[in-house]
Each structure stands twice: as C-alpha cells, then as structure tokens.
Amino acid sequence: MLVGIALGSLGMQMLKAQKSPTAFYIAEVFEVSNQDQYNTYAAGVPATVEKYGGHYVVRGGKTEALEGEPPKRIVVLAFKSMADAQRWCASPEYSAIRPIRLRSAKARGFIVEGLGE
C-alpha cells in the first residue's frame, strides 16, 4: 500500500513538473510596399511581445534556401504556451499596430505548438 501511495505521489510530481508546450509565432514577409510604415510597425512590435511573455528567436537575418524558393524575411517569436501566443496576437496593443503591417507588407503568419519538456 505504501508503494502505491509513493508511486502516486511521484506521478503527481512528474505531472506538475511537465511544462506545457512552447508556442512559436512564425511570420514570413513576402513583400514590403511601404518601408517607412513597415519600420513603424516593426519598431512597435517588441514591446507588445514582451508584455505577453514572448521573445524573438529570429528577426530577419540571413536565410539559406535548402528546398524551394528562399524566403524574403522570417520572424519567429517564442511564447510559453499557445494561449500566450494567442493572447498576444489578439491583444489591444498588437491589434493597434497590426493594420500598419497589413497595409505596408504582404505576409503570412501562424502559431505552431512546440514540444513540451
């Protein structure tokens, strides 16, 4: 009986220790039609990301295509969870500047759930 209690306790500790999967917001910017407006957008994003617990993993930088067409610009943000990434994306702070990007660049963005550790 004591073994059962010990195993149950250990199992509960392991469940509590498991982290929820990290989530990544990934954007590919195809074309910037108004660089000044896009720069305004890009300057405003970091504060919104930080407020919702995210951070940059990739922000532009050199790319090398291994298959298919090379991307123009890639941005990867990491958040503690899918819910945090969704909160950031729908936040009033990001929603206020998102229209600037929509009118100044063609892009696609999505959230991908990573592996729990």
Side-chain angles (χ1 to χ4, degrees), residues 1-13:
M1 184 167 166
L2 289 175
V3 172
I5 293 171
L7 288 175
S9 176
L10 179 61
M12 290 301 289
Q13 289 175 6

Side-chain angles (χ1 to χ4, degrees), residues 32-50:
V32 176
S33 58
N34 186 318
Q35 190 65 55
D36 289 338
Q37 285 185 8
Y38 187 81
N39 291 346
T40 299
Y41 161 80
V45 175
T48 70
V49 171
E50 288 176 21

